[in-house]
Amino acid sequence: MAKGKHSRFLVACLLLAPGVAGALGVGPLQVRSALNQRLLASVELLSVGPDDLQNLTVRLASPQEFSQAGIDRLPLFSDISFTLEARPDGRTFVRLTSQRPIREPALNFLVEISTGRGRVVREFAVLLDPVRPGQRRFAEAT
């Protein structure tokens, strides 16, 4: 897909969510799993207030949004669940997990984050390295 088309899509997403775009920040995706393991990753939500948490939902973006962005919506994406975590230090994270091991070394997907004031669609690219000899599997309690 051409860079210009992709950039226009991201700008359009931000313009559709003016109430959220300036207030809600989304940090980078931190992956804690490897290829052929269940996905375990998290992303920090920045500038989230208590009112936002009550109305906040996170899910995989719609098939139409994937199509508009020129990204294949692979069936394995439907296996990813999103869970909000409010940590004791006040930071808020979204935990991404899958029920089955991920066999694709590279993933590119869209996540929709909505509050009562609007929504943001964010693209994430993930590269999963194979487990090295002697490397432990990820810990569930992170």
Side-chain angles (χ1 to χ4, degrees):
M1 181 170 114
K3 278 187 177 184
K5 185 176 179 183
H6 184 66
S7 296
R8 285 191 302 272
F9 171 76
L10 292 176
V11 169
C13 287
L14 290 174
L15 291 175
L16 288 173
V20 172
L24 178 65
V26 182
L29 187 71
Q30 301 292 319
V31 179
R32 294 183 176 90
S33 55
L35 188 63
N36 297 318
Q37 294 180 341
R38 292 182 310 119
L39 179 66
L40 179 59
S42 63
V43 62
E44 185 174 7
L45 299 180
L46 309 169
S47 304
V48 176
D51 293 337
D52 292 325
L53 280 179
Q54 292 178 350
N55 300 314
L56 195 111
T57 59
V58 182
R59 65 182 181 178
L60 194 63
S62 71
Q64 294 79 14
E65 289 166 318
F66 272 82
S67 178
Q68 288 174 336
I71 300 171
D72 291 331
R73 192 174 196 262
L74 303 176
L76 69 93
F77 294 156
S78 297
D79 185 45
I80 298 173
S81 61
F82 304 91
T83 308
L84 285 175
E85 293 182 351
R87 304 232 173 123
D89 64 4
R91 297 185 306 160
T92 303
F93 287 81
V94 175
R95 179 183 281 229
L96 292 79
T97 55
S98 67
Q99 295 300 312
R100 294 183 293 259
I102 304 294
R103 310 256 185 246
E104 297 289 330
L107 304 175
N108 196 26
F109 58 94
L110 297 172
V111 174
E112 176 186 312
I113 303 166
S114 300
T115 69
R117 296 181 291 151
R119 69 187 193 96
V120 172
V121 176
R122 172 83 185 263
E123 179 179 353
F124 291 103
V126 178
L127 295 174
L128 297 172
D129 294 325
V131 176
R132 295 183 306 266
Q135 180 183 2
R136 291 181 27 194
R137 292 179 59 91
F138 65 83
E140 282 292 336
T142 57

